[in-house]
Amino acid sequence: HVQLVESGGGSVQAGGSLRLSCAASGYTYGDIYMAWFRQAPGKERQGIASVDNGGRTTYGDSVTGRFTITKDNVKRTMYLQMNSLKPEDSGMYYCASNSGPYLPFSQRLDISAYKYWGQGTQVTVS
């Protein structure tokens, strides 16, 4: 049974920082793709950052230079370090993962690329 559990959300003032975590269990952790998605009220869920088992990353334009995605294969946990937060970064943040054949970089922020999802953690920037 695959399980992803997010933590680390909260409320922060604009310009501040937060670090989100996603703890994974239930499958072989090594050969997968993982990503963070964000969904603001009334908007579609949007991919913002991804990382593969080799540590190769992809970022959405809105977070490039401010957010950093990392993955600790020993702890089986993925992180999202968010700096210089803006009010438009507010929303529910979801962790997602999948394993399988090679996933092109151009598809790594697509919702359809991921099979497993966490329950989300809320981030509010004011």
Side-chain angles (χ1 to χ4, degrees):
H1 175 65
V2 176
Q3 186 173 20
L4 301 174
V5 180
E6 302 96 335
S7 61
S11 297
V12 65
Q13 291 187 338
S17 299
L18 282 175
R19 188 175 82 153
L20 305 183
S21 300
C22 172
S25 63
Y27 57 89
T28 302
Y29 186 71
D31 192 19
I32 64 171
Y33 302 93
M34 298 190 75
W36 287 99
F37 287 75
R38 175 174 68 202
Q39 187 166 21
K43 294 188 177 181
E44 294 184 352
R45 193 170 298 188
Q46 177 186 32
I48 59 173
S50 74
V51 62
D52 67 17
N53 61 308
R56 291 169 287 268
T57 59
T58 304
Y59 292 96
D61 291 342
S62 65
V63 304
T64 298
R66 299 187 299 123
F67 291 11
T68 303
I69 187 171
T70 57
K71 183 181 169 188
D72 186 326
N73 289 337
V74 174
K75 294 182 178 180
R76 307 183 76 181
T77 302
M78 176 178 68
Y79 304 96
L80 185 68
Q81 178 66 44
M82 305 186 294
N83 298 329
S84 302
L85 282 162
K86 305 175 182 180
E88 51 264 44
D89 293 319
S90 297
M92 189 69 78
Y93 282 69
Y94 296 92
C95 166
S97 72
N98 203 0
S99 60
Y102 176 72
L103 183 63
F105 281 93
S106 62
Q107 298 176 22
R108 294 187 183 189
L109 297 182
D110 293 348
I111 291 176
S112 60
Y114 296 92
K115 181 177 180 180
Y116 305 108
W117 293 83
Q119 294 300 307
T121 185
Q122 179 68 39
V123 172
T124 303
V125 184
S126 59

